[in-house]
Amino acid sequence: NGDYHGSYLYPPVVLLLFAPFTLLSYPLPATLWGLLSVGLLWHGSLALVRAAGYEPSRYETALLGVALLGFQPLLLSVKLGQTAGFLGGVLCFAGAAALSSREDPELVDDEESGPAARRRAAVLSGALTALAGVVKLPYAPASAHLLTDRRRLLGGVAAGLGLVGLSLAVFGLEANAAYLDVLRWGATEGLERRPPTLWLPPYYRPFYLVDGAVGRQLA
């Protein structure tokens, strides 16, 4: 019930991501989306750790999964069907690719760590970062790292233009212009913040762990 402007949250091209889930009956699509989001964030986090130079043990790998499943903001985003887990995983893979694109004097150049491999990793990092920013604009500032590497910038620009072109080709100019209209409205008239009294009760769920009336009242 967010009227015209409040119901247009994502650019049209994002529908292609959600379209396969519409082939199934609820609540299975919601469950699969949650599993995909958490799984992508889990594997992306592991990829980021490995790219940083540390190989986690099986115990640590499992422990990371348990930690994610116990992280209340992630659980809340999954319950609400949000994209935070999915985009977090995408950015983790982007970070892992960025780390893999660095030159390391201790490594011997081969097919996996040579100049060509580092170039591919840099382009992939930029493309994944652009994907996150296109899906949801609040993630766009994560693209700042593209300015420090020409290859990453090239990958980001190519992916961004590709997604825009795909959106125009599939959904047409009118739908994409409507999304821009929503953005213009949000930058001029939609500046009021939601007061705490309108926040959702699940935001306060962790306070149930606090003993006493204060925690129960906040919850």
Side-chain angles (χ1 to χ4, degrees), residues 40-41 43-45 47-48 83-99 124-134 136 138-146:
L40 189 69
L41 182 57
H43 286 286
S45 300
L48 187 59
T83 58
F86 177 85
L87 295 179
V90 169
L91 289 177
C92 281
F93 278 112
L99 291 176
L124 177 62
S125 174
L128 291 175
T129 305
L131 172 63
V134 169
K136 202 163 189 178
Y139 287 76
S143 300
H145 74 95
L146 304 184

Side-chain angles (χ1 to χ4, degrees), residues 100-118:
S100 299
S101 68
R102 299 180 304 176
E103 293 188 13
D104 190 340
E106 296 183 1
L107 294 178
V108 178
D109 284 348
D110 54 25
E111 292 185 359
E112 295 184 359
S113 60
R118 291 196 296 269

Side-chain angles (χ1 to χ4, degrees), residues 141-173:
S143 300
H145 74 95
L146 304 184
L147 300 177
T148 65
D149 188 292
R150 182 175 57 85
R151 301 164 302 175
R152 279 184 250 157
L153 180 61
L154 176 63
V157 171
L161 292 177
L163 289 171
V164 171
L166 179 62
S167 187
L168 289 170
V170 175
F171 299 102
L173 180 60

